[in-house]
Amino acid sequence: MNVMRAKEIKDDPVMKDVVHNGKYVYIEDVNDETQKALVRYTKSSEGLFEVDVTNLVEE
């Protein structure tokens, strides 16, 4: 995924299916400079973590 698409998904009120390492995530924020996204797993109580936007896949 690219930064622009990650930002579009983050801003969309309808949640899109986004996968990181085989698990669904919710994009909380996207950093243009570092090209990283702040995400959390949708079905887990784990906290937020940062990943490269290129490691996210839209289904």
Side-chain angles (χ1 to χ4, degrees):
M1 180 177 300
N2 63 42
V3 170
M4 181 173 279
R5 182 62 184 140
K7 289 172 105 176
E8 289 172 356
I9 291 171
K10 178 188 81 71
D11 293 337
D12 193 330
V14 178
M15 189 171 161
K16 306 286 189 229
D17 289 334
V18 177
V19 177
H20 176 261
N21 286 342
K23 294 183 181 178
Y24 289 101
V25 294
Y26 180 77
I27 301 172
E28 295 284 346
D29 196 22
V30 179
N31 186 317
D32 288 326
E33 292 178 18
T34 63
Q35 306 240 326
K36 294 192 182 279
L38 192 61
V39 300
R40 63 178 167 81
Y41 290 118
T42 58
K43 298 185 182 199
S44 175
S45 61
E46 293 179 42
L48 298 170
F49 57 100
E50 197 172 60
V51 298
D52 286 336
V53 172
T54 57
N55 292 334
L56 298 174
V57 177
E58 181 179 7
E59 288 195 333

